[in-house]
Every structure is written in C-alpha cells, then in structure tokens.
C-alpha cells in the first residue's frame, strides 16, 4: 500500500500480530516482483501477510479485494523474499488482514490462500 491510510493499516496490522505473539521480520518489503506488506514468524512458520484497508465496508469487505491475480503477485514476491534471505522454512502461510473504516478492528484470515504449483 502506498497511501498514508494504507501505511497506517499495515502498522496497525503489525501491532495486532505482535499481540498474538508473532515476530515481525519485515514491514513493506519491496522487490522487482512486488511488495510484501508484512513478513512475520508464527513459531516456525513464515507468514506473508497481505493488508487491505477501506474507508468503509459499503462496497464490500477489504479482505474480498485479494483477487487471484493479487495472490499470485504476493506468492511470487514471497518466493523472491525466501530466496533473497536464503530461507527454507519448515512451513509458510499466506494470511490476509483487513480493516474497514479508520477505527475498524482487524479481520484476520490465517491461511487465506495457498501457493499451489509453486516451490521454494
């Protein structure tokens, strides 16, 4: 996310994940293939978190905006991250956290999508 609203949502999501015991490894990691909003560790699992925010849910919930095309971009960026950091985690996961409205509570969907057909 590039807007101030989006950056605030990413920061809120990172703080939320910390309260759950996640360790934040990266925030807004960028590579030629795209951006990863949050990379975190949940125990031994590396978690790539896509953060979505909308000013309201009048036109749908933020998590509904993570299309298959966006999932593919996140997966490719995640694989690039693993390669760049020379990581081979036991497990990896793709979560989505959405916020609707400025004061919205996080809607967290662990394992929101999978990297079918990709290897690392």
């Amino acid at each position: 996310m590039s807007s101030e609203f989006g950056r605030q949502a990413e920061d809120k999501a990172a703080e939320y994940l910390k309260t759950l015991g996640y360790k934040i490894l990266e925030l807004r990691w960028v590579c030629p293939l795209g951006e990863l909003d949050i990379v975190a560790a949940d125990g031994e699992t590396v978690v790539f978190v896509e953060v979505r925010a909308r000013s309201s849910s009048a036109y749908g919930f933020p998590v509904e905006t993570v299309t298959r095309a966006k999932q593919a971009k996140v997966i490719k960026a995640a694989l690039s991250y693993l390669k760049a950091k020379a990581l081979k985690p036991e497990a990896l996961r793709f979560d989505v956290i959405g916020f609707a409205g400025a004061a919205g509570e996080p809607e967290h969907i662990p394992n929101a999508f999978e990297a079918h057909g990709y290897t690392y």
Side-chain angles (χ1 to χ4, degrees):
M1 287 182 193
S2 58
S3 71
E4 182 62 27
F5 183 65
R7 284 189 293 276
Q8 288 175 356
E10 291 165 350
D11 292 342
K12 280 175 57 174
E15 289 305 313
Y16 164 76
L17 290 171
K18 287 178 191 175
T19 68
L20 297 179
Y22 289 54
K23 179 181 177 189
I24 304 303
L25 304 175
E26 301 279 350
L27 191 59
R28 295 184 277 278
W29 188 81
V30 179
C31 72
L33 297 174
E35 177 183 355
L36 296 171
D37 295 336
I38 299 173
V39 182
D42 180 14
E44 298 297 315
T45 303
V46 174
V47 184
F48 299 97
V49 183
E50 177 64 16
V51 179
R52 303 303 257 190
R54 286 191 161 177
S55 56
S56 79
S57 59
Y59 296 102
F61 294 98
V63 297
E64 296 171 334
T65 67
V66 183
T67 63
R68 289 203 189 279
K70 181 59 178 176
Q71 291 173 20
K73 272 190 95 156
V74 171
I75 291 166
K76 289 175 185 174
L79 295 176
S80 180
Y81 176 83
L82 294 174
K83 185 174 181 181
K85 302 293 183 177
L87 296 175
K88 290 200 176 218
E90 284 291 316
L92 56 90
R93 193 174 79 220
F94 296 92
D95 289 7
V96 175
I97 296 178
F99 294 95
E105 291 298 311
E107 179 185 2
H108 182 193
I109 303 176
N111 209 26
F113 57 93
E114 296 182 6
H116 295 294
Y118 294 92
T119 57
Y120 65 98

